[in-house]
Amino acid sequence: MIRKLFKNARIITPFDPGKPLEGKEQGKVTRIERGALLCRDGIIEAIGDEKEVVSHNPGHDLDVVVDCSGRCLIPGFVDPHTHMCFAATREEEFSRRMEGMEYLEILRRGGGILSSVRAVRAVSEEELFSATRKHALSALKFGTTTLEIKSGYGLETETELKMLSVIDRIGRETPLDVVPTFLGAHAIPGEYAKAPDTYVDILIQEMIPAVSQQGIALFCDVFCEEGAFSLDQSRRILSRARDAGMGLKIHADEAHDLGGAGLAAELGCISAEHLLAANEENLRAMAEKEIIGALLPATAYSLRKDYAPARNMVKMGLPVALATDCNPGSSYTESMPFIFGLAVLGMNLEVNEALVASTLNAAYAIGMAKEVGSLDKGKKADFLLLDGEGPAILAYHAGVSSVRGVYKGGELVFST
Ligand code: NIG
Ligand code: FE
C-alpha cells in the first residue's frame, strides 16, 4: 500500500452528484485555495483544505509528500470521442479541403474515411498499434488521462476486430484508461457502394455478433449522415447493438439534420455527438432524457463550419461534454487544451462550464464517471498541474499547452 499526499495546490474541480451536470450547474466547480489531495494506491482517499486533510492524516504513514508549489490542480481530461486508431494522415486531402472541396464530396469520391480504410486494412496489427500509441501518448502529454477510441476504418469484420484489439492494447500498454467503441457503421465500404443495405445487413447479422463475442467494445456508434447511414439504417444498427448488450452513441446531425439527435433520445443513447445541424425540438428531447451532447469544436474549426449552439444547449438543460474527435480527416488534434480554448472563445462556454464538459460530463459520456472525471473520494487520482492561476489559462494562453504535470492514479506520467 502506498499513500501519497499532494499539498499546497489550488484545487479546482467539479464534485460528482451522481449524474452529469447541466443547465445552471454545467459550470458547478469547487475551488479550494490551499488544498491537498491524499491518495492510497492511486485512489483518492481525502481531498479538501490542506489543514483539514493534514490534521486527519498527520504524516507518519505517508510514503510520499509532494508540494505542488501553489499550482492549479484540476482533474485529468477525459476525451470521450476519438478516431485515433488510424494508419496514415490525409494531408493531401486537407489541402483540397482548404481549396474549397467539401468533406462529404471527398468521401463521395472514394477518399476521406474510405482512404483511411484502405490504409488500415493494409497494415499489420503491430504497425497499427504503434501508430495509435503515438497519438495516445500525445493526448496524455496534453493532459488526457482517459479516452474513448473508435474502430471504423476497417468496415469488414476482420479489420474491425483488428482495430478493437489494438484499441484494447492501448488501454493495457499505456498509462491511459481507454474505452473502445465499435464504429463499423462509419461509411459504406466501396465494395457495397451500390448495395448499402447489404452492408447494413452484414453489420447486423455478422459484424455486431462477432464484435460482441470478442467482448472488447463497450459502445456501438453510427455515422448518421447523408452519404453514410440514413436515420432508418442507424436505428436498425443501434437497436441490434443494444440487443447485443452494447451502450449506444451516435454521430448526429454533423452536416445535415437527418434527425440523429431525435434518434438518440428515442433509443436512449448515452450521448449524441457533433449536433452542428440538430434542430431545437430534437435537442430538447435529448435534454429531457439527460442525453449528453458531446461537442467537437475542432471539427467545426477544421471544416470551417459554425460551431454547435453550446450556449443554447446549456440553456435548455442539455448536459454538454467536449471531445477532440481526433481523426485524420475532419479534426486532427489530440489536444484537449486546444478544444478547451475553442469551447470558451468559439462557443462561448464559461471556463468552469468547459472544465465540467471536459472532465466530469465527458466521463459520463463514456460510462466512466464512477472511476474518473472529478476528484471525488473513491475515484482515481487522475489530475493535472497547470501553469496558471486557474483553468482559464487553458484558453487564454492560446496555441500552447499549459499542462505542466500529468498524474494518472497518483503517478507522475508526464511533466515539463
Ligand atoms: O467525427 N464524421 C465522421 N467521422 C469522423 C471523421 C472521420 C474521418 O474523416 O476520418 C468525424 O468527424
Ligand atoms: Fe467522430
Coordinates of all heavy atoms in Angstrom, one line a residue, residues 347-381:
M347 N -17.3 28.9 -28.8 CA -18.7 28.5 -28.4 C -19.2 29.3 -27.2 O -20.3 29.0 -26.8 CB -18.7 27.0 -28.2 CG -18.3 26.2 -29.4 SD -18.9 24.4 -29.3 CE -18.2 23.9 -27.9
N348 N -18.4 30.2 -26.7 CA -18.9 31.0 -25.5 C -19.3 30.2 -24.3 O -20.1 30.6 -23.5 CB -20.1 31.9 -25.9 CG -19.6 32.9 -26.9 OD1 -18.5 33.5 -26.8 ND2 -20.5 33.2 -27.9
L349 N -18.6 29.0 -24.1 CA -18.8 28.4 -22.8 C -18.0 29.1 -21.8 O -16.9 29.6 -22.1 CB -18.3 26.9 -22.9 CG -19.2 25.9 -23.6 CD1 -18.7 24.5 -23.4 CD2 -20.7 25.9 -23.0
E350 N -18.6 29.2 -20.6 CA -17.7 29.8 -19.5 C -16.6 28.8 -19.2 O -16.8 27.6 -19.4 CB -18.6 30.0 -18.2 CG -19.7 31.1 -18.4 CD -20.7 31.1 -17.3 OE1 -20.5 30.4 -16.3 OE2 -21.7 31.8 -17.5
V351 N -15.6 29.3 -18.6 CA -14.4 28.5 -18.3 C -14.8 27.3 -17.4 O -14.4 26.1 -17.7 CB -13.3 29.3 -17.6 CG1 -12.2 28.4 -16.9 CG2 -12.7 30.3 -18.6
N352 N -15.6 27.5 -16.4 CA -16.0 26.4 -15.5 C -16.9 25.4 -16.2 O -16.9 24.2 -15.9 CB -16.6 26.9 -14.2 CG -15.6 27.6 -13.3 OD1 -14.4 27.4 -13.5 ND2 -16.1 28.4 -12.4
E353 N -17.7 25.9 -17.1 CA -18.6 25.0 -17.9 C -17.7 24.1 -18.8 O -18.0 22.9 -18.9 CB -19.5 25.8 -18.8 CG -20.6 26.6 -18.0 CD -21.5 27.5 -18.9 OE1 -21.0 27.9 -20.0 OE2 -22.6 27.8 -18.5
A354 N -16.7 24.7 -19.4 CA -15.8 24.0 -20.2 C -15.0 22.9 -19.4 O -14.7 21.8 -19.9 CB -14.8 24.9 -21.0
L355 N -14.7 23.3 -18.2 CA -14.0 22.4 -17.3 C -14.8 21.1 -17.0 O -14.4 20.0 -17.1 CB -13.5 23.1 -16.0 CG -12.7 22.2 -15.0 CD1 -11.4 21.8 -15.7 CD2 -12.5 22.9 -13.7
V356 N -16.1 21.4 -16.6 CA -17.0 20.3 -16.4 C -17.2 19.4 -17.6 O -17.2 18.2 -17.6 CB -18.4 20.8 -15.9 CG1 -19.4 19.7 -15.8 CG2 -18.2 21.4 -14.5
A357 N -17.3 20.1 -18.8 CA -17.6 19.4 -20.1 C -16.4 18.6 -20.5 O -16.6 17.5 -21.1 CB -17.9 20.5 -21.2
S358 N -15.2 18.9 -20.1 CA -14.0 18.1 -20.5 C -13.5 17.2 -19.4 O -12.5 16.5 -19.6 CB -12.9 19.1 -20.9 OG -12.6 20.0 -19.9
T359 N -14.3 17.1 -18.3 CA -13.9 16.2 -17.2 C -15.1 15.3 -16.8 O -15.3 14.2 -17.3 CB -13.3 16.9 -16.0 OG1 -14.2 17.9 -15.5 CG2 -12.0 17.7 -16.4
L360 N -15.9 15.8 -15.9 CA -17.0 15.0 -15.4 C -18.0 14.6 -16.4 O -18.4 13.4 -16.6 CB -17.7 15.8 -14.2 CG -18.8 15.0 -13.5 CD1 -18.2 13.7 -12.9 CD2 -19.5 15.8 -12.5
N361 N -18.5 15.6 -17.2 CA -19.6 15.2 -18.2 C -19.0 14.3 -19.3 O -19.6 13.4 -19.8 CB -20.2 16.4 -18.8 CG -21.2 17.1 -17.9 OD1 -21.4 16.7 -16.8 ND2 -21.9 18.1 -18.4
A362 N -17.7 14.5 -19.6 CA -17.0 13.7 -20.6 C -16.9 12.2 -20.1 O -17.1 11.3 -20.8 CB -15.6 14.2 -20.9
A363 N -16.6 12.1 -18.8 CA -16.6 10.8 -18.2 C -17.9 10.1 -18.2 O -18.1 8.9 -18.5 CB -16.1 10.9 -16.7
Y364 N -19.0 10.9 -17.9 CA -20.4 10.3 -18.1 C -20.7 9.8 -19.5 O -21.4 8.9 -19.7 CB -21.4 11.3 -17.6 CG -21.7 11.2 -16.1 CD1 -21.2 12.1 -15.2 CD2 -22.4 10.1 -15.6 CE1 -21.4 12.0 -13.8 CE2 -22.7 9.9 -14.3 CZ -22.2 10.9 -13.4 OH -22.4 10.7 -12.0
A365 N -20.1 10.6 -20.5 CA -20.4 10.3 -21.9 C -19.8 8.9 -22.3 O -20.2 8.4 -23.4 CB -19.9 11.4 -22.8
I366 N -18.9 8.4 -21.5 CA -18.3 7.1 -21.9 C -18.5 6.1 -20.7 O -17.8 5.1 -20.7 CB -16.9 7.2 -22.4 CG1 -16.0 8.0 -21.4 CG2 -16.8 7.8 -23.8 CD1 -14.5 8.0 -21.7
G367 N -19.4 6.4 -19.8 CA -19.7 5.4 -18.8 C -18.6 5.2 -17.8 O -18.4 4.1 -17.2
M368 N -17.7 6.2 -17.6 CA -16.5 6.1 -16.7 C -16.6 6.9 -15.5 O -15.6 7.0 -14.8 CB -15.3 6.5 -17.5 CG -14.8 5.4 -18.6 SD -14.2 3.9 -17.8 CE -12.6 4.4 -17.2
A369 N -17.8 7.6 -15.2 CA -17.8 8.5 -14.1 C -17.6 7.9 -12.7 O -17.3 8.6 -11.8 CB -19.1 9.3 -14.2
K370 N -17.8 6.6 -12.6 CA -17.6 6.0 -11.3 C -16.1 6.0 -11.0 O -15.8 6.0 -9.8 CB -18.1 4.6 -11.3 CG -19.6 4.5 -11.2 CD -20.1 3.2 -10.5 CE -21.5 3.3 -9.9 NZ -22.5 3.7 -10.9
E371 N -15.3 6.0 -12.0 CA -13.9 5.9 -11.7 C -13.1 7.2 -11.9 O -12.1 7.4 -11.3 CB -13.3 4.9 -12.7 CG -13.7 3.5 -12.4 CD -13.2 2.5 -13.5 OE1 -12.0 2.5 -13.8 OE2 -14.0 1.8 -14.1
V372 N -13.5 8.0 -12.9 CA -12.7 9.2 -13.2 C -13.6 10.4 -13.5 O -14.9 10.3 -13.4 CB -11.8 9.0 -14.5 CG1 -10.9 7.8 -14.2 CG2 -12.7 8.7 -15.7
G373 N -13.0 11.6 -13.8 CA -13.8 12.7 -14.3 C -14.0 13.8 -13.2 O -14.3 15.0 -13.6
S374 N -13.7 13.5 -12.0 CA -13.7 14.5 -10.9 C -12.8 14.0 -9.8 O -12.4 12.8 -9.8 CB -15.2 14.7 -10.4 OG -15.7 13.5 -9.9
L375 N -12.6 14.8 -8.8 CA -11.6 14.5 -7.8 C -12.4 14.0 -6.5 O -12.1 14.5 -5.4 CB -10.6 15.6 -7.5 CG -9.8 16.0 -8.8 CD1 -8.9 17.2 -8.5 CD2 -9.0 14.8 -9.3
D376 N -13.4 13.2 -6.7 CA -14.2 12.7 -5.5 C -13.4 11.6 -4.9 O -12.7 10.8 -5.5 CB -15.5 12.2 -6.0 CG -16.5 13.3 -6.4 OD1 -16.5 13.7 -7.5 OD2 -17.2 13.7 -5.5
K377 N -13.6 11.5 -3.6 CA -13.1 10.3 -2.8 C -13.6 9.0 -3.5 O -14.7 8.9 -3.9 CB -13.7 10.4 -1.4 CG -13.0 9.6 -0.4 CD -13.6 9.8 1.0 CE -13.2 8.6 1.8 NZ -13.9 8.4 3.0
G378 N -12.6 8.1 -3.6 CA -13.0 6.8 -4.3 C -12.7 6.7 -5.7 O -12.7 5.6 -6.3
K379 N -12.5 7.9 -6.4 CA -12.1 7.9 -7.8 C -10.6 7.8 -8.0 O -9.9 8.0 -7.0 CB -12.7 9.1 -8.5 CG -14.2 9.1 -8.7 CD -14.7 10.1 -9.7 CE -16.2 10.3 -9.7 NZ -16.7 11.1 -10.9
K380 N -10.2 7.6 -9.2 CA -8.7 7.6 -9.4 C -8.1 8.9 -9.2 O -8.7 10.0 -9.6 CB -8.5 7.1 -10.9 CG -8.8 5.6 -11.1 CD -8.3 5.1 -12.4 CE -8.8 3.7 -12.6 NZ -8.4 3.1 -13.8
A381 N -6.9 9.0 -8.7 CA -6.2 10.2 -8.5 C -5.6 10.6 -9.9 O -4.3 10.6 -10.1 CB -5.1 10.1 -7.5

